[in-house]
Every structure is written in C-alpha cells, then in structure tokens.
C-alpha cells in the first residue's frame, strides 16, 4: 500500500510549511512569491498545495497580485494546527502525519516505525479509518467525526514496565477530556474510558522489544469525540458513546489530541528515566475506576473469572477475590460489561 | 600462460585435497591460489553463535544431545577429528524463543488470521513469531535468530510466564 512508504508522506512537509505561513498571517494576505520562496518550489506547485488544503476542509481565498489568505480552518490534526496547541519542547506531536482516510493508524505507523528515521513522538492521525482495529483484530468503528491517532514512543523503557504505558494513556486521555467537559469519565480496567457506562475511548499499543528493553511502542488512541449517537451501528448503540453524545457538546478534537500528548509526555519521560510511572497516578486511576469495588466477570486466558474487584497493583494487574475466597492477580483479560 | 579451464582445474585440485595453497610461476605469469582458512575453522562459527544472540533467552536442550551421541557412537569413526561431533552440533543448533513478560500468548494477529508461524516455517531475526499481550499492550515477539521453527511450546490463548519457552528454532 502506498501509505506504507515514508516517502509518500514527505510532500506533507511542504503543505505544512505553507499552512504555517498562512496561519502566522492570521487571515492576512500572503503572496504566492513568498510561499514559493519559503518552500523552494514553483508558484504552480504552491497552488497545488493550496488545493490540497482546500480538499482537507480549509477555505483559502486567492486573489491575483495579492496572494492567498485563510478564511476557514477545519478541526483536523495537522502538524501546524496541533503544534500551536502544544507546549514548547513537547516531543510527542513534534512531527505529525495526517491521512484523511487510512486503513489503521496503528498498522501504518507500526510499519513506518521500521525506519529508524521516524523520530520519537511522531503522530499519525486520520480522518476516517476503514480498518480501525480493537483488541484481537476486532474492528473499531472510526467515522470522520472521531479522533483517531497513534503515537510513536521510542524511548529507553525497560520491557518489564512497558505495559504501564497503556494505563498512563488512559489517565492522560481522561484528563484531556475533562479539560473540555464536566461530564464524568470513568476507566474500565485496564484502559477503556467510559462515559454513561459506555465506551468512549479505546487504547491499544503494539510493542517491539530488543531483549529486555523497548525498541518502540505504537500507542493507538481512538476517541469517539463528536460521533453523533445515531451514527453508531446497532451492535454498538448500547455499549459505545461519544463525548458529544454523553455531554451534549462537541469537543475541539485537535485541542483534545494536544491535551492527551501534553499529559502523556511527562509520564513517558518518567518511565524512561526510571521514575514512578503508573504508581504516580494510581490514586487518580483508582478514583476514576469503574471496575474496582464491585462484582465483576473477567474473561481471562484461563477462563471466566467471577468475583469482587479489590484493587489494581502498581504494575497494572487486577486483583480479584473470587466467590470461593481465592485471591487472583490478573495480568491479562477483559472485564465484561 | 594458463587457460581459464586450467586455472579452474587447479582450483578444484586445491579444493579437493589437503593442500592449503598452490603457487605457479612461469616467465609470463604468477599464480597464487590459497584457501582462506584451514578447514578446521568451519566448525567454529556454529558453535560460537550459541551464546551471542541473547544470553538470557538461549538454552541448550540437555536431553536430545546425549540421545544423539548414543545413537551415533556405534558407527565407525569416519568423520575427521576436525568435524563437530553430531551431539555437539545438535545442542548448539537450537534456539528457544522465551516469553519476555507475563501475558496471553497469541499465535496470530487476530482470531481469524493465520498464525505468524507454523512448525516448518523459516524465520529470520526480525520475523514476528507471536504476540504476548498484557493490559492491551501487544508485544510482537521476534525470532531473534535465523532458522526453522521445529516446535511450538505454548498453547494459543494461554497465559505464559516470564521466561517460559514458546518456540524451538533450529538454527540455519
């Protein structure tokens, strides 16, 4: 597939530099000659990138002898738009690739990550995923009203602590959502986010290790941001929701993505520095947890476990007391609704 | 001057005998053919390779080696002293891929997808052979060696422990 070659993404750099200049002008005119000089391509090539921006949802006014100016900016995760919302020096999100339609951001970023040239913090975002994936190959409904992105984490993290990343991500996403809404957001072990007891965000990471150390992690985050309630297919209607549906108000998706990255950055750095990872936010996770303190059923590799969810361990295991009084520490499984 | 065919003949001669080099000098030419290393050296690489790949995840299967040695013992000693004994070769020629973490062992990327590898699959260092999952972190396990999968030691969908052997790979 063409999207799997890093070179096919390179023209985004020129488009983003043009967009950067137009955004800097804050609605004022920028001449074609200047855009041509900045990018080092012909004015005809500049015009083609302007057309690409319009296809992505921007409105660009073009007038002979004056140049171009932006009159509408869409809420999509392009590098210049995301970076404006990130703190200076934030490594996560310093490079952003965007595809209006893609198979799966995780699959494509995992493939691109085979090139060591792709830096730590690279984000691949998509408008729509045609083959969005959940756990164990389950499909993930990904219409163009959601927020679908993957982050490349290329830091020296011991493999024994890598699983903390998905737990930390759940805390980061929850904080990011709460910056835009007052509606409660809960966490279902290990890292699903719920609003109104329905899934609003899924997190799935793919890892490659080098011996006992992480080579890279592709962290996939799918948030049903502004998906209208009626858009969910029947089989999801009772188990999925969106921030829009649960809170009644749409969210700014690029801001949401920036807030997730801003929250996640220090957590990942702490892991890389050997500091407290999940342990540092475990109380926050506990207080937001939907799973703890109630009778639950967990599908585990060893079979169905029924019991009372007591706690989570600092390395993320779910501690369950079964009805027969046995205490189990579950590293892998799925809590059934 | 020697013809190409004659030089080829000399190379064959060198190859098939115990000679280590041949020098020929005539008025119009000099020819010097030399074997890179004595044959003994060929034994070394396969034995040296064992601990190199990843000390933590390599083990030498103890059982097959003596068994092999026993069956080979009665046969006449036709191998030269330089060649590896079959027993030593056998022990060193396998690599065990072990689970680097506690989690669920999956042989395929999805339930309806074909397994990453089967018995008989050829693998290289970077070939993904399975996934071990914990807390929705999918750890794609690489073979770490080149060779052929000869045994699958864990059950799909089962919990595996840290250090548990998952695959036995015969080194190429």
């Amino acid at each position: 597939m063409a999207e799997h070659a890093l070179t096919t993404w390179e023209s985004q750099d020129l488009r983003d530099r043009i967009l950067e200049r137009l955004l800097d002008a804050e609605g004022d005119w920028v001449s074609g000659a200047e855009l041509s000089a900045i990018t080092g391509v012909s004015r005809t090539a500049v015009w083609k990138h302007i057309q690409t921006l319009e296809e992505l949802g921007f409105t660009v006014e073009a007038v002979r002898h004056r140049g171009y100016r932006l009159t509408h900016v869409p809420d999509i995760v392009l590098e210049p738009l995301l970076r404006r919302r990130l703190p200076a020096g934030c490594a996560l999100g310093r490079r952003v690739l965007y595809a209006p339609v893609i198979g799966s951001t995780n699959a494509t970023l995992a493939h691109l990550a085979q090139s060591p040239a792709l830096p730590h913090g690279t984000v691949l975002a998509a408008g729509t995923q045609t083959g969005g994936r959940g756990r164990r190959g389950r499909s993930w409904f990904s219409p163009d009203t959601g927020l679908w992105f993957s982050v490349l984490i290329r830091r020296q993290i011991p493999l024994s602590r890598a699983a903390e990343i998905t737990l930390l991500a759940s805390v980061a996403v929850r904080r990011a959502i709460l910056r835009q809404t007052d509606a409660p957001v809960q966490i279902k072990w290990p890292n699903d986010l719920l609003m109104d007891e329905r899934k609003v965000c899924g997190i799935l990471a793919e890892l490659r290790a080098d011996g006992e150390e992480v080579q890279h992690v592709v962290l996939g985050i799918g948030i049903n941001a502004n998906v209208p309630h009626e858009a969910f297919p029947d089989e999801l209607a009772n188990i999925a929701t969106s921030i829009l549906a649960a809170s009644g108000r749409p969210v700014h998706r690029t801001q949401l993505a920036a807030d997730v990255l801003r929250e996640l950055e220090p957590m990942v750095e702490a892991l890389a520095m050997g500091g407290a990872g999940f342990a540092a936010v475990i109380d926050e996770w506990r207080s937001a947890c939907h799973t703890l303190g109630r009778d639950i059923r967990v599908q585990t590799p060893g079979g169905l476990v029924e019991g009372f969810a007591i706690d989570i361990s600092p390395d993320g295991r779910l501690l369950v007391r079964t009805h027969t009084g046995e205490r189990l520490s579950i590293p892998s499984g799925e809590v059934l609704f | 001057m020697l013809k190409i065919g004659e030089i080829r003949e000399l190379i064959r001669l060198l190859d098939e005998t115990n000679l280590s080099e041949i020098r020929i000098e005539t008025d119009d030419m000099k020819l010097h053919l030399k074997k890179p290393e004595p044959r003994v050296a060929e034994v070394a690489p396969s034995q040296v390779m064992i601990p190199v790949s990843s000390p933590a995840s390599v083990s030498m299967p103890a059982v097959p080696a003596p068994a092999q040695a026993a069956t080979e013992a009665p046969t006449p000693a036709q191998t030269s002293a330089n060649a590896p004994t079959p027993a030593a070769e056998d022990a060193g020629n396998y690599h065990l891929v072990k689970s680097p973490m506690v989690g669920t062992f999956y042989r395929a990327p999805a339930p309806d997808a074909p397994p990453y590898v089967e018995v008989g699959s050829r693998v290289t260092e970077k070939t993904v052979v399975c996934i071990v999952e914990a807390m929705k972190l999918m750890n794609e396990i690489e073979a770490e060696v080149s060779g052929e999968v000869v045994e699958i030691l864990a059950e799909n969908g089962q919990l595996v422990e840290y250090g548990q052997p998952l695959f036995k790979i015969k080194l190429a």
Side-chain angles (χ1 to χ4, degrees):
Chain A
M1 263 190 292
E3 69 194 29
H4 281 163
L6 195 52
T7 48
T8 63
W9 300 90
E10 275 170 2
S11 69
Q12 294 199 353
D13 286 347
L14 292 177
R15 181 203 64 203
D16 286 350
R17 267 190 274 164
I18 291 167
L19 175 57
E20 193 75 59
R21 181 65 191 91
L22 291 171
L23 288 167
D24 280 345
E26 295 177 333
D28 271 351
W29 296 98
V30 182
S31 74
E34 185 185 341
L35 293 175
S36 171
I38 293 169
T39 52
V41 298
S42 69
R43 289 170 69 167
T44 312
V46 167
W47 179 71
K48 281 188 179 152
H49 285 296
I50 296 284
Q51 281 188 311
T52 310
L53 287 173
E54 294 206 300
E55 284 162 17
L56 289 171
F58 289 84
T59 312
V60 185
E61 206 176 328
V63 172
R64 191 177 285 268
H65 303 307
R66 297 191 79 176
Y68 303 99
R69 68 186 190 110
L70 276 178
T71 54
H72 173 74
V73 176
D75 180 17
I76 58 175
V77 185
L78 293 190
E79 187 172 298
L81 299 176
L82 186 73
R83 286 241 299 246
R84 261 152 221 270
R85 297 172 184 275
L86 284 174
C90 186
L92 303 184
R94 72 176 152 194
R95 175 141 193 230
V96 182
L97 309 173
Y98 178 82
V101 180
I102 206 167
S104 149
T105 60
N106 254 31
T108 304
L109 189 58
H111 186 87
L112 295 175
Q114 288 173 7
S115 159
L118 204 65
H120 167 64
T122 300
V123 165
L124 173 59
T128 304
Q129 293 185 109
T130 54
R133 296 186 300 184
R135 195 173 159 274
R136 297 305 299 144
R138 281 177 218 163
S139 68
W140 179 270
F141 175 61
S142 319
D144 64 0
T145 41
L147 172 62
W148 325 116
F149 67 104
S150 297
V151 192
L152 178 64
I153 296 169
R154 224 193 259 285
R155 298 287 277 131
Q156 291 191 333
I157 296 169
L159 186 56
S160 58
R161 302 197 58 194
E164 291 176 47
I165 290 173
T166 69
L167 297 159
L168 291 169
S170 70
V171 174
V173 173
R174 180 171 178 273
R175 287 182 187 172
I177 295 174
L178 291 176
R179 280 175 183 245
Q180 292 198 51
T181 175
D182 295 329
V185 183
Q186 292 185 297
I187 302 174
K188 189 180 90 157
W189 184 84
N191 54 22
D192 285 343
L193 294 183
L194 309 179
M195 292 179 83
D196 293 341
E197 308 242 318
R198 292 167 190 185
K199 191 155 162 175
V200 74
C201 167
I203 295 165
L204 188 72
E206 294 171 39
L207 173 148
R208 287 293 183 103
D210 212 349
E212 300 282 318
E213 198 151 272
V214 169
Q215 205 176 80
H216 68 248
V217 175
V218 172
L219 176 66
I221 297 173
I223 306 175
N224 300 333
N226 297 329
V227 180
H229 175 69
E230 57 276 14
F232 286 104
D234 287 347
E235 66 272 20
L236 295 180
N238 291 324
I239 56 171
T241 190
S242 66
I243 304 173
L244 170 66
S247 73
R249 286 176 54 191
V251 285
H252 193 285
R253 292 176 298 174
T254 313
Q255 186 64 51
L256 190 60
D259 289 337
V260 170
L261 297 171
R262 172 212 301 264
E263 295 290 351
L264 194 58
E265 168 107 350
M267 299 177 181
V268 170
E269 287 310 301
L271 268 187
M273 296 299 173
F278 181 57
V281 296
I282 193 165
D283 285 336
E284 184 178 345
W285 192 96
R286 282 191 185 112
S287 67
C289 189
H290 176 269
T291 313
L292 300 181
R294 60 167 73 192
D295 284 318
I296 54 154
R297 296 190 304 143
V298 195
Q299 192 66 56
T300 75
L304 187 68
V305 169
E306 291 184 78
F308 181 80
I310 308 166
D311 200 1
I312 186 167
S313 69
D315 63 353
R317 294 178 186 219
L318 186 63
L319 307 174
V320 175
R321 186 176 63 235
T322 67
H323 298 317
T324 56
E326 198 183 355
R327 282 172 71 102
L328 299 174
S329 158
I330 302 173
S332 178
E334 188 183 359
V335 178
L336 305 175
F337 273 95
Chain B
M1 203 173 127
L2 291 170
K3 296 193 176 71
I4 283 290
E6 291 167 327
I7 296 173
R8 199 177 287 141
E9 198 60 38
L10 285 169
I11 292 171
R12 200 167 291 137
L13 184 70
L14 184 67
D15 214 31
E16 290 168 356
T17 63
N18 286 331
L19 294 174
S20 61
E21 56 182 300
I22 297 173
R23 279 173 196 272
I24 295 173
E25 279 193 53
T26 62
D27 290 344
D28 58 348
M29 64 158 287
K30 279 184 190 174
L31 178 71
H32 182 192
L33 300 171
K34 189 171 183 245
K35 286 182 191 169
E37 296 277 333
R39 296 209 133 212
V40 191
E42 285 177 23
V43 183
S46 66
Q47 291 178 336
V48 171
M49 256 179 76
I50 310 157
V52 167
S53 54
S54 168
S57 58
V58 175
S59 81
M60 313 243 283
V63 183
Q68 277 276 355
T71 56
E72 292 291 337
T75 60
Q78 57 192 3
T79 49
S80 80
N82 295 335
T85 68
E89 189 178 52
D90 205 55
N93 271 356
Y94 291 100
H95 171 82
L96 287 179
V97 179
K98 296 181 174 183
S99 180
M101 59 188 231
V102 177
T104 311
F105 171 74
Y106 291 114
R107 288 189 50 204
D112 54 353
Y116 287 108
V117 291
E118 300 276 11
V119 169
S121 295
R122 300 231 152 244
V123 296
T124 63
E125 285 85 347
K126 290 285 167 192
T127 306
V128 173
V129 291
C130 66
I131 284 177
V132 176
E133 182 215 346
M135 286 160 264
K136 290 210 276 178
L137 177 81
M138 308 289 165
N139 189 350
E140 297 172 328
I141 312 292
E142 296 170 356
E144 293 179 340
V145 293
S146 285
E148 182 188 334
V149 177
V150 290
E151 209 176 338
I152 298 167
L153 303 164
E155 197 75 28
N156 185 51
Q158 292 302 296
L159 191 71
V160 291
E161 295 295 332
Y162 173 85
Q164 182 175 333
L166 305 174
F167 295 90
K168 187 176 178 185
I169 295 174
K170 189 176 196 300
L171 298 177

